[in-house]
Amino acid sequence: MLLSGCSLESVGKAFGHFGWPGPGISLQAHKMYDLWIASTIAALVVGIFVWGLIFWCIIRYRKRGDELPVQTRFNMPMEVLYTVTPILVVAVLFYYTAIVQTDVDKLSKNPDQVVEVVAFKWQWQFNYRDGIGPDAGTVASTVGSADVIPLLVVPVGQKIRFEETARDVIHSFWVPELLFKRDVFPGNVRNVFEVTLDKEGRYVGRCAELCGTYHAYMQFEMVVVSADKFTTFLDTKKRGSTTQQAMEAIGFTGAQAYATTTAPLETRRQGSNWYQPNTAAAK
Ligand SMILES: [Cu+2]
């Protein structure tokens, strides 16, 4: 089962993914998902074995009379067995965890796209960069407002590097479907990670670090599109269009040009706006 991701996914599906949202939408997520499902299966196998032993002892050695049973102590082989076995179990889990963790944290020398994630109270800005690191330039960006939930448009099948920075307090970048989140720090700490997405679609993103009064409203949406559409989106943005115009340029018209996955916190939320009553409708 460890060797076959496919069968792990079908097993996971049969058991509600053992509590996870699903197999994820990136190559990194699939590896974490497989580790989770395999670890859970291993834990269940050990659990069933231990429960079996417990119930066997309860039934086999239940009280039959007033005679005191034989008092056994210091069975050396048993002592060794139940010291070595848990260490082996932990060592195997640690081994696979270390491998997956290293892989999820791996950074490439030349990512296909670099996106700077800027978090602030209580919004997100996504800067598309022309290189790696804080000294690279921003070629286009999308940002949220009191009235519009920000969109993070990214291509499928490319190495995307996210570089995180905050303007005030600690926030956390979280897209549940990535099975991953990472804190966004202010100051000179620049958290970096990479993902390669393998499923187009629209996915909700949230701030996962309690950052202040309106933390709960700090939503965004990740829109995963084909490489061609992404190029068109970015070119349209570079020419000075709004994010919604650029969305229309790649086929997301009308309400589709705005975030669709952040319910119950909708974009264009005038009327129920959190600090600007009667704000103007989004353009
Ligand atoms: Cu936040």
Side-chain angles (χ1 to χ4, degrees):
M1 276 195 171
L2 276 174
L3 295 173
S4 154
C6 285
S7 72
L8 281 175
E9 194 175 320
S10 53
V11 170
K13 212 174 247 166
F15 290 94
H17 307 291
F18 290 126
W20 273 21
I25 53 165
S26 69
L27 304 185
Q28 290 80 359
H30 299 326
K31 286 178 181 164
M32 289 186 277
Y33 178 82
D34 289 350
L35 175 69
W36 173 251
I37 299 296
S39 304
T40 309
I41 291 170
L44 281 172
V45 169
V46 173
I48 288 166
F49 178 68
V50 172
W51 290 326
L53 285 178
I54 290 172
F55 283 110
W56 179 73
C57 288
I58 290 172
I59 295 161
R60 174 71 180 79
Y61 298 104
R62 66 189 187 279
K63 188 177 178 184
R64 290 199 175 82
D66 287 333
E67 198 182 322
L68 203 62
V70 186
Q71 301 296 299
T72 310
R73 287 187 296 170
F74 303 117
N75 184 320
M76 230 17 215
M78 286 295 277
E79 300 266 347
V80 172
L81 186 72
Y82 64 61
T83 307
V84 171
T85 314
I87 290 173
L88 274 178
V89 171
V90 170
V92 170
L93 289 177
F94 181 83
Y95 172 76
Y96 285 109
T97 304
I99 286 180
V100 171
Q101 185 176 300
T102 307
D103 205 79
V104 167
D105 265 336
K106 195 156 53 187
L107 298 175
S108 54
K109 279 209 179 73
N110 291 304
D112 300 309
Q113 306 294 338
V114 182
V115 180
E116 184 183 51
V117 175
V118 184
F120 53 97
K121 290 195 275 189
W122 286 275
Q123 274 299 345
W124 300 92
Q125 179 169 341
F126 302 107
N127 295 330
Y128 296 91
R129 310 279 277 176
D130 58 7
I132 288 171
D135 300 328
T138 295
V139 296
S141 58
T142 66
V143 64
S145 71
D147 195 35
V148 178
I149 288 173
L151 298 175
L152 165 61
V153 180
V154 280
V156 76
Q158 293 188 13
K159 277 183 196 148
I160 306 161
R161 180 188 181 104
F162 290 100
E163 302 186 351
E164 302 179 327
T165 178
R167 291 284 179 262
D168 34 45
V169 298
I170 300 173
H171 301 270
S172 186
F173 176 98
W174 182 37
V175 177
E177 291 288 344
L178 289 177
L179 307 181
F180 181 90
K181 63 183 171 213
R182 180 152 287 171
D183 279 7
V184 187
F185 284 97
N188 54 9
V189 178
R190 202 172 170 87
N191 276 345
V192 177
F193 67 95
E194 286 183 16
V195 293
T196 303
L197 301 157
D198 69 348
K199 202 170 169 216
E200 288 182 32
R202 309 182 72 160
Y203 308 96
V204 67
R206 308 190 195 275
C207 178
E209 180 70 56
L210 182 57
C211 56
T213 312
Y214 300 105
H215 156 71
Y217 292 88
M218 209 172 148
Q219 317 276 313
F220 62 95
E221 181 178 279
M222 189 170 81
V223 186
V224 186
V225 297
S226 68
D228 285 349
K229 278 188 177 177
F230 175 74
T231 309
T232 308
F233 175 86
L234 201 58
D235 287 346
T236 313
K237 282 293 293 181
K238 279 182 193 167
R239 284 198 297 272
S241 299
T242 66
T243 302
Q244 270 61 46
Q245 286 167 343
M247 284 290 279
E248 274 161 19
I250 56 172
F252 295 104
T253 51
Q256 295 295 307
Y258 295 86
T260 58
T261 60
T262 54
L265 301 159
E266 307 292 353
T267 197
R268 309 198 62 177
R269 52 195 172 231
Q270 65 276 6
S272 58
N273 195 281
W274 76 84
Y275 61 75
Q276 294 180 354
N278 310 317
T279 185
K283 295 233 169 54

